[in-house]
Amino acid sequence: MNKRMPAAIITIHLPTMRPFSWKALWILVAFQLLGNLLSIPILQTTNRVIDPLPYWILWTAISIPIIALSLYLAGRIGLGAPFLEGYLHGEGKRNWLQMVVAISVLVAIAAIPFILLINQDAGSQDYPAVWKLILASMDAGVQEEIFNRFFLMTALAWLGSLIWSEPDGRPTRLVIWTAILISAILFGWAHVDDKLSIPRVPISDFISLMVVGTIYGIIFGWLYWKLGIECAILAHFAIDAVASGIVVPAYSSGNLFVQVITIVGFILTALIAWYLLKRSNRVRSITQ
């Protein structure tokens, strides 16, 4: 067995020009609404204004044409939601799911240095409950990936494919990477823009947020391209959950024992995830 992870093993080739799935649309819309509602506990903790339920429903209604357009354009150029679309067509995706979970865990662990870079001033005082941060991580994973990757990156890739495309209608690699980079830069800037109203924030913090946000955006865009929007959502959630639920609390605790145990736990988790990834590669190679 090849000791390296071949690029072909981690690429899902969805067909181009496939029919629009109304069931997939409504499932994604339901996740959008659920993501909105999951953010309520953290908003209560941070004393932010919580919009009434009709606002959440209205925002979800506004998102319907955005998600529908994303789903339609993705279906034109070979992008999309392979697990969801496969499930709706009765296709088994167990091996895909194992591979995606393993990759998401590895990506989250690899992101730990970046997490520490942008959380150096984190303190244990007034730190929100972990379960509320986990729910907020789910919200961020769904909301930001649906807009930044599923909508924006897909639209950019589709526009580029009108000029530069492969014989089967897929965008060229240059078009895909351009779409990934543009959406990643805007993703990074969105996180900086969110902090501009906070007084006396050092410029270095803004630069760190921009750089780290852009790097994350590139990773999520690459995962969307290779494995589908579900993988981008899951990896985004994993990074946020690991950051807010484990890394920052352990780092800010100042307890060396807790920090060592956390590091050992991450090493063991990474080894297990790597084993599952290699196993899913082997199973897929046999079944192809």
Side-chain angles (χ1 to χ4, degrees), residues 49-112:
V49 176
I50 300 175
D51 296 298
L53 183 59
Y55 171 86
W56 298 112
I57 296 175
L58 176 61
W59 174 243
T60 302
I62 293 173
S63 72
I64 291 176
I66 295 175
I67 297 173
L69 179 61
S70 305
L71 196 61
Y72 174 79
L73 295 180
R76 305 296 93 186
I77 58 176
L79 297 177
F83 181 80
L84 176 58
E85 295 179 50
Y87 175 79
L88 293 175
H89 285 86
E91 299 173 5
K93 294 290 184 181
R94 180 179 177 181
N95 187 56
W96 177 92
L97 183 60
Q98 178 178 294
M99 179 169 56
V100 164
V101 170
I103 289 176
S104 298
V105 169
L106 289 171
V107 166
I109 293 175
I112 290 176

Side-chain angles (χ1 to χ4, degrees), residues 10-282:
I10 57 170
T11 302
I12 300 296
H13 291 290
L14 289 172
T16 57
M17 304 303 292
R18 61 188 186 276
F20 183 84
S21 174
W22 287 98
K23 289 183 179 179
L25 169 63
W26 296 121
I27 290 173
L28 290 171
V29 169
F31 272 103
Q32 173 83 0
L33 176 59
L34 179 62
N36 280 326
L37 299 178
L38 289 177
S39 66
I40 291 177
I42 196 67
L43 293 176
Q44 292 174 328
T45 299
T46 55
N47 296 320
R48 295 187 182 182
V49 176
I50 300 175
D51 296 298
L53 183 59
Y55 171 86
W56 298 112
I57 296 175
L58 176 61
W59 174 243
T60 302
I62 293 173
S63 72
I64 291 176
I66 295 175
I67 297 173
L69 179 61
S70 305
L71 196 61
Y72 174 79
L73 295 180
R76 305 296 93 186
I77 58 176
L79 297 177
F83 181 80
L84 176 58
E85 295 179 50
Y87 175 79
L88 293 175
H89 285 86
E91 299 173 5
K93 294 290 184 181
R94 180 179 177 181
N95 187 56
W96 177 92
L97 183 60
Q98 178 178 294
M99 179 169 56
V100 164
V101 170
I103 289 176
S104 298
V105 169
L106 289 171
V107 166
I109 293 175
I112 290 176
F114 300 111
I115 293 169
L116 293 174
L117 176 65
I118 60 178
N119 288 282
Q120 297 181 54
D121 299 325
S124 58
Q125 292 183 339
D126 301 323
Y127 195 73
V130 170
W131 69 269
K132 295 182 180 181
L133 292 167
I134 298 278
L135 293 181
S137 300
M138 294 180 185
D139 171 46
V142 172
Q143 305 280 355
E144 295 179 10
E145 291 312 303
I146 283 181
F147 179 77
N148 286 279
R149 250 59 62 182
F150 201 44
F151 172 66
L152 181 58
M153 179 181 150
T154 299
L156 292 171
W158 176 78
L159 286 172
S161 72
L162 297 178
I163 304 174
W164 301 283
S165 64
E166 304 293 346
D168 61 355
R170 300 177 194 276
T172 63
R173 292 178 64 88
L174 179 60
V175 168
I176 286 289
W177 275 112
T178 301
I180 289 174
L181 290 174
I182 292 175
S183 60
I185 291 171
L186 293 176
F187 177 74
W189 172 252
H191 286 74
V192 172
D193 185 59
D194 189 49
K195 305 292 183 182
L196 290 178
S197 59
I198 302 177
R200 296 185 298 276
V201 176
I203 188 65
S204 59
D205 287 2
F206 289 129
I207 295 174
S208 297
L209 278 172
M210 182 68 188
V211 171
V212 172
T214 301
I215 291 173
Y216 283 173
I218 292 172
I219 293 171
F220 299 147
W222 183 81
L223 290 174
Y224 169 39
W225 173 33
K226 293 291 184 176
L227 286 169
I229 191 60
E230 302 101 328
C231 186
I233 290 173
L234 189 57
H236 192 145
F237 160 71
I239 287 179
D240 282 5
V242 166
S244 58
I246 303 176
V247 174
V248 174
Y251 171 75
S252 60
S253 70
N255 187 316
L256 181 60
F257 176 75
V258 170
Q259 293 170 351
V260 170
I261 291 297
T262 301
I263 293 172
V264 172
F266 278 132
I267 293 173
L268 293 176
T269 302
L271 291 174
I272 293 171
W274 182 254
Y275 166 77
L276 292 176
L277 181 58
K278 300 296 288 185
R279 183 174 180 272
S280 67
N281 283 348
R282 183 170 63 253

